[in-house]
Amino acid sequence: MKNDRPPSSLIRVIGLGNGLRGDDAAGLLAARQVRQIIGGRAEVIEAEMAGVDLIELMKSAYAVILIDAARSGQASGTVHRLDASAGPIGCQIFPRSSHAIGMVDALELARAMGVLPPKVIVYGIEAGNTEAGQPLSSPVAKAVDQVVDQVIQECEAHYA
């Protein structure tokens, strides 16, 4: 009997953001917490300013969970969960950068190249203050904890 279940080592959690810019660090901090809880059962990467390198970071994974700060205009700390493997997620939630390729662009480039992993889930945490040197805001810190719990549940469901 053929086992189509991918090995758990092919689950990759990638936290995106800038650790020096307040709420923009949400993805990095969530990834750090996931690593502490999940140990070696998933590969966890903290990626500041990934840009087009995100395609390489996703390569060879069966399932990728991306966590990043979002800017859709909703309240700070709002959590979005999007399935990028089902189709384009658009750029309404994640802002485009004027000087680099953003996450949404990298996902669509990977899709066009045929290298998008079979399962890609994106968590966006609505950011408030992203000024340099600012700490994580309270609503975003609570949202980070929520996303960590959800990501752990998704990883555990994959192992079941």
Side-chain angles (χ1 to χ4, degrees):
M1 177 180 211
K2 183 179 175 191
N3 182 358
D4 291 331
R5 170 181 253 145
S8 61
S9 63
L10 294 180
I11 300 173
R12 194 165 294 146
V13 178
I14 303 173
L16 302 167
N18 184 328
L20 301 175
R21 300 190 69 88
D23 290 347
D24 195 35
L28 301 173
L29 296 172
R32 198 168 299 158
Q33 288 183 36
V34 168
R35 179 184 297 118
Q36 290 174 346
I37 296 168
I38 204 134
R41 292 180 288 165
E43 185 177 359
V44 180
I45 298 171
E46 294 175 42
E48 289 195 62
M49 313 301 243
V52 75
D53 293 339
L54 183 58
I55 296 169
E56 191 66 30
L57 294 175
M58 295 189 299
K59 199 179 244 180
S60 75
Y62 171 76
V64 172
I65 299 174
L66 298 169
I67 310 165
D68 198 4
R71 285 272 189 196
S72 71
Q74 293 190 28
S76 178
T78 300
V79 174
H80 306 274
R81 183 188 180 279
L82 307 162
D83 185 351
S85 47
I89 61 172
C91 58
Q92 302 90 346
I93 295 175
F94 299 97
R96 286 208 143 111
S97 171
S98 61
H99 55 273
I101 186 170
M103 177 186 51
V104 173
D105 298 318
L107 288 171
E108 292 316 307
L109 184 56
R111 188 184 319 274
M113 295 169 56
V115 297
L116 189 70
K119 184 170 178 92
V120 180
I121 300 298
V122 178
Y123 280 95
I125 300 172
E126 283 291 327
N129 190 344
T130 57
E131 290 182 30
Q134 294 299 308
L136 203 64
S137 68
S138 178
V140 171
K142 288 177 186 170
V144 165
D145 291 342
Q146 176 188 338
V147 168
V148 168
D149 289 344
Q150 289 179 253
V151 169
I152 297 298
Q153 288 175 13
E154 294 210 35
C155 290
E156 294 295 335
H158 181 76
Y159 307 138

